[in-house]
Amino acid sequence: TGYITLDDGFANTGGTTSSITYIDGEKGILRYRGYRIEELAERCDFLEVAYLLIYGELPTADQLEEFRDNIRRHTLLHEGMKQLFAGFPPDAHPMAILSSVVGALAIYCKDSLDPLDEAQRQLSIYRLMAKMPTIAAFGYKQSIGQPFVYPQNHLTYCQNFLYMLFAVPSERYRMDPDYVEALNLLLILHADHGQNCSTSAVRMVGSSNVNLFSAISAGICALWGQLHGGANEACINMLEQILADNRNIGKYIDKAKDPNDPFRLMGFGHRIYKNYDPRAKIIKSVADRLIAKKIGTDPLFELAKELEEIALKDPYFVERKLYPNVDFYSGIIYRAMGIPKNMFTVLFALGRLPGWIAHWREMHLTPNKRIHRPRQLYIGYPERPFVPLIKRS
Ligand code: CMC
């Protein structure tokens, strides 16, 4: 079978070529299609960045309008899908709902399942971009016992999501432009990040030529874990725990350093960044501005900043080059916006969606694409004699 190299966690093995996202982890640089993340986050609309990631170029005004229009017309869900939400218990985790219902789109969108057909591929992209916010918002409404709020297609992508999440039929909804702006920025910052666990999952699953909805559902499942996107929710849980535990930061720093304790600082460390995560830098400064403007002070935010300061002076974190990552401060902003913490990873998924799609599309457009099929080094038994059931002890 030839010589097989083992690379635990794929730390040094490239599974694909890609021209979507460039990361220099030593210098803390992130670029989408060659554009600096800082500039995109400040100057773009999320759908502009989605277009850039998926198709490779910033759209012209006409291209952007056409893209927006194609997405707008697909925001509704099939009415039958409401029965799915109704069947979930109120305490269902929104990530489990999201992956299930996105997977179920393959049942309702049967004319866009062929990933090898350009027209179907395109239709599935519009449908998924349009329906994910609706699914996310319906899942939330179901969990709090409020009626579903249907999309309003005259609103922007971010406005529409906040509207579906927070509006109630009995009251006029007042859109807060600061929150729309913050959401737009957070979605852009989450939009792609190379071959991370969920994107690799989308590529892996998609490489079998399954439809986009199923591949993205797999990506959502991968994102949910605490070592990946689930860290944003876990981080707020951790901060709340430290606050309730007499704000004893030192105790939790010690736990994180203890090799016999599985506890880790959530929102800290990264496989690629050995410097400050550029996304965390932007998110922290936005959190600073937003909290000051909207709330004044937030004890969890103050605690997070202090925790960061202490950790970054500690030799354990310095030697291992562990810095805050994208998940450390994002929850502080979501909380300020009134978004419950079990929805944080759903927001990560909404942001990452164009990145997943871009990688899926790039894979399908690669000539001679092959199914992903990693090898293994077998370390189990060689051949053994079979023992009948009655003779086993
Ligand atoms: N707290 C304490 N120690 C840590 C942490 C942490 N958050 N992260 C890494 N380390 C230690 C780890 O114990 C190991 O120490 P030693 O060399 O003594 O064994 C060393 O640093 C290297 O860690 P690793 O586990 O080999 O690194 P990795 O590249 O496999 O893992 C990671 C990366 C992000 C999973 C990890 O840093 C971690 O668990 N962080 C906490 C969870 C988190 O914030 N995840 C979000 C990642 S960024 C966005 C996203 O992908 O969603």
Side-chain angles (χ1 to χ4, degrees):
T1 54
Y3 179 71
I4 294 168
T5 16
L6 181 67
D7 180 9
D8 185 30
F10 302 106
N12 298 301
T13 302
T16 182
T17 57
S18 181
S19 31
I20 301 171
T21 287
Y22 173 80
I23 308 170
D24 183 331
E26 296 297 329
K27 296 193 184 131
I29 293 174
L30 172 60
R31 297 183 199 128
Y32 296 162
R33 300 281 190 185
Y35 296 102
R36 290 170 52 236
I37 188 70
E38 292 80 4
E39 212 168 356
L40 294 172
E42 197 185 310
R43 302 176 64 169
C44 282
D45 174 74
F46 175 61
L47 284 191
E48 236 178 308
V49 173
Y51 186 101
L52 169 71
L53 287 168
I54 298 171
Y55 304 110
E57 297 297 334
L58 281 168
T60 62
D62 285 349
Q63 286 168 334
L64 182 60
E65 199 37 49
E66 193 187 338
F67 185 56
R68 279 204 185 111
D69 205 46
N70 277 319
I71 290 173
R72 261 188 219 124
R73 72 181 57 170
H74 291 289
T75 49
L76 281 177
L77 302 183
H78 187 289
E79 284 291 296
M81 293 187 85
K82 291 201 299 195
Q83 302 306 315
L84 291 172
F85 293 96
F88 297 128
D91 60 352
H93 196 283
M95 282 300 276
I97 297 180
L98 188 69
S99 61
S100 311
V101 180
V102 166
L105 286 177
I107 302 166
Y108 290 91
C109 305
K110 285 208 294 226
D111 55 347
S112 54
L113 298 186
D114 184 356
L116 306 182
D117 177 290
E118 173 57 16
Q120 293 199 34
R121 198 157 53 208
Q122 200 48 62
L123 182 56
S124 66
I125 292 173
Y126 296 143
R127 280 178 163 158
L128 197 53
M129 285 293 300
K131 292 178 198 302
M132 272 260 290
T134 314
I135 294 172
F138 278 23
Y140 173 62
K141 287 296 196 189
Q142 176 72 22
S143 75
I144 57 168
Q146 285 186 3
F148 299 137
V149 173
Y150 283 69
Q152 289 279 347
N153 288 346
H154 66 276
L155 299 174
T156 67
Y157 199 79
C158 290
Q159 286 173 338
N160 194 29
F161 177 64
L162 290 179
Y163 168 75
M164 290 189 289
L165 207 59
F166 291 127
V168 283
S170 46
E171 264 177 44
R172 187 162 169 267
Y173 177 62
R174 288 178 204 286
M175 189 82 63
D176 186 325
D178 290 326
Y179 291 156
V180 176
E181 197 184 310
L183 178 64
N184 184 65
L185 177 127
L186 284 168
L187 294 187
I188 291 175
L189 294 179
H190 285 84
D192 194 47
H193 213 245
Q195 305 308 314
N196 57 86
C197 178
S198 57
T199 303
S200 304
V202 170
R203 276 191 182 255
M204 168 73 78
V205 172
S207 78
S208 72
N209 288 351
V210 75
N211 65 82
L212 177 65
F213 309 112
S214 302
I216 298 293
S217 174
I220 295 168
C221 292
L223 185 73
W224 189 12
Q226 286 198 357
L227 297 185
H228 194 4
N232 57 12
E233 182 184 350
C235 179
I236 290 291
N237 283 334
M238 172 188 81
L239 293 173
E240 284 175 351
Q241 193 181 342
I242 300 175
L243 197 65
D245 198 357
N246 297 316
R247 234 176 164 276
N248 193 344
I249 297 177
K251 173 176 161 188
Y252 289 85
I253 295 271
D254 287 345
K255 274 166 74 61
K257 287 156 54 173
D258 181 351
N260 299 315
D261 189 328
F263 175 79
R264 285 184 166 198
L265 282 192
M266 287 291 120
F268 249 78
H270 200 276
R271 173 65 61 78
I272 310 289
Y273 291 121
K274 300 303 162 201
N275 202 325
Y276 214 107
D277 182 332
R279 303 166 298 174
K281 210 179 274 176
I282 302 173
I283 294 173
K284 186 180 177 186
S285 73
V286 171
D288 249 325
R289 260 184 283 137
L290 204 71
I291 298 290
K293 183 168 176 187
K294 299 289 181 188
I295 311 177
T297 54
D298 173 1
L300 273 201
F301 188 32
E302 295 309 311
L303 174 69
K305 287 192 280 191
E306 204 176 319
L307 178 62
E308 175 195 331
E309 209 182 312
I310 294 173
L312 294 188
K313 283 190 194 132
D314 190 301
Y316 174 94
F317 294 90
V318 174
E319 277 157 24
R320 289 169 181 74
K321 300 184 176 168
L322 302 170
Y323 292 87
N325 60 48
V326 69
D327 294 317
F328 194 63
Y329 289 111
S330 58
I332 297 287
I333 300 182
Y334 294 140
R335 250 169 54 96
M337 294 166 73
I339 295 174
K341 58 189 176 184
N342 66 358
M343 284 293 286
F344 292 179
T345 314
V346 169
L347 279 142
F348 193 147
L350 288 182
R352 185 55 55 89
L353 180 62
W356 287 334
I357 293 174
H359 282 272
W360 176 82
R361 187 170 177 275
E362 180 180 65
M363 177 184 68
H364 280 297
L365 295 180
T366 304
N368 306 320
K369 167 197 83 78
R370 300 174 82 191
I371 191 165
H372 285 217
R373 206 302 180 189
R375 302 298 297 268
Q376 64 173 14
L377 287 183
Y378 178 69
I379 55 164
Y381 289 106
E383 190 173 338
R384 293 200 284 174
F386 179 75
V387 183
L389 186 57
I390 49 163
K391 290 201 177 159
R392 289 176 216 158
S393 55

